[in-house]
Amino acid sequence: MVTLMTFDFTPLLLTFKLAFVTTVILTVIGIPLAYWLAFTQRRWKFLIEPLVSLPLVLPPTVLGFYILLLFSPRYPLGSFLETHFDVRVVFTFLGLVIGSVLFSLPFMVNPLKAGFESIPRVLIDASETLGKSRRETLFKVILPSMKPSLLTGIIMSFAHTIGEFGVVLMIGGNIPDKTRVVSIAIFNEVEALNYANAHVYSMVIIVISFILLTGLYWVNRTSKGRLF
């Protein structure tokens, strides 16, 4: 039987912290990247689009493995960061964030890109005709007109980060109170045959994910037909 005295809530708290930080970072970098992909005429755009979406088809362990090598103190970048800035990436929360941002990038960028492409060009032209800068057009005209796409990116990124396993295990390991997120905690509990604890962790994630997706579908349904 699971009691508050024996159940460790730290993996849940660490998971939601990671999901929040990752989603904020993805929102900040995802908006300009998706905007560029949607409107640029650069010929090498066709290389960037599949690169952004690559995590959708790669096994998480592959991405995690190369992130681990990239930031390992045994290799140039990791050694440089640790020697000159005292920054260690592997087996730290920072490593989890980096891995999660890269792995969840398409879940933010692709919905935003679709949202940008759905905006009528006449709306953008009208804003520019009225003397608005590109920045003002983006934040005062385009983004308010594509709230469902923005919300989709935010919720999908958050939910996807919650469920990560392979990437976070490769780059962060299984360190209690530091890198042991809930997906790894579930694996540990199952290995130890502590099915009661595994049930609690799993049900919390299922309920939270269901609430997030239900809210997303409800907002998209109510906003359909009145986006502009």
Side-chain angles (χ1 to χ4, degrees), residues 128-194:
E128 293 176 350
T129 300
L130 293 173
K132 301 293 184 181
S133 65
R134 285 190 174 183
R135 184 184 183 88
E136 289 177 310
T137 299
L138 173 62
F139 287 100
K140 295 183 179 180
V141 177
I142 300 178
L143 288 180
S145 299
M146 49 176 279
K147 288 180 181 178
S149 297
L150 181 59
L151 183 63
T152 297
I154 290 173
I155 291 180
M156 293 302 294
S157 298
F158 189 92
H160 186 251
T161 303
I162 288 176
E164 289 175 4
F165 179 77
V167 169
V168 293
L169 181 61
M170 292 293 290
I171 189 67
N174 185 9
I175 306 174
D177 301 330
K178 292 184 178 181
T179 63
R180 181 181 293 170
V181 294
V182 70
S183 58
I184 298 175
I186 292 171
F187 181 79
N188 288 343
E189 298 294 355
V190 171
E191 275 200 322
L193 301 181
N194 295 327

Side-chain angles (χ1 to χ4, degrees), residues 15-119:
T15 297
F16 293 126
K17 177 184 176 182
L18 175 63
F20 176 78
V21 173
T22 298
T23 303
V24 170
I25 295 174
L26 283 174
T27 302
V28 172
I29 67 176
I31 290 175
L33 178 56
Y35 179 90
W36 183 85
L37 289 173
F39 297 116
T40 186
Q41 300 298 321
R42 300 282 186 179
R43 286 193 289 182
W44 41 275
K45 166 187 171 181
F46 79 97
L47 293 175
I48 305 300
E49 287 179 312
L51 189 61
V52 169
S53 296
L54 197 58
L56 292 174
V57 296
L58 278 180
T61 48
V62 171
L63 182 61
F65 172 66
Y66 283 108
I67 296 174
L68 178 64
L69 291 184
L70 180 65
F71 291 105
S72 171
R74 297 175 57 187
Y75 292 90
L77 179 58
S79 176
F80 175 81
L81 291 174
E82 189 163 350
T83 301
H84 294 85
F85 299 98
D86 196 27
V87 173
R88 188 177 183 88
V89 174
V90 297
F91 306 126
T92 65
F93 183 77
L94 175 60
L96 296 184
V97 171
I98 293 174
S100 297
V101 166
L102 293 176
F103 191 50
S104 294
L105 185 62
F107 290 87
M108 177 64 75
V109 173
N110 289 345
L112 289 177
K113 179 175 174 288
F116 283 127
E117 292 174 340
S118 70
I119 302 296

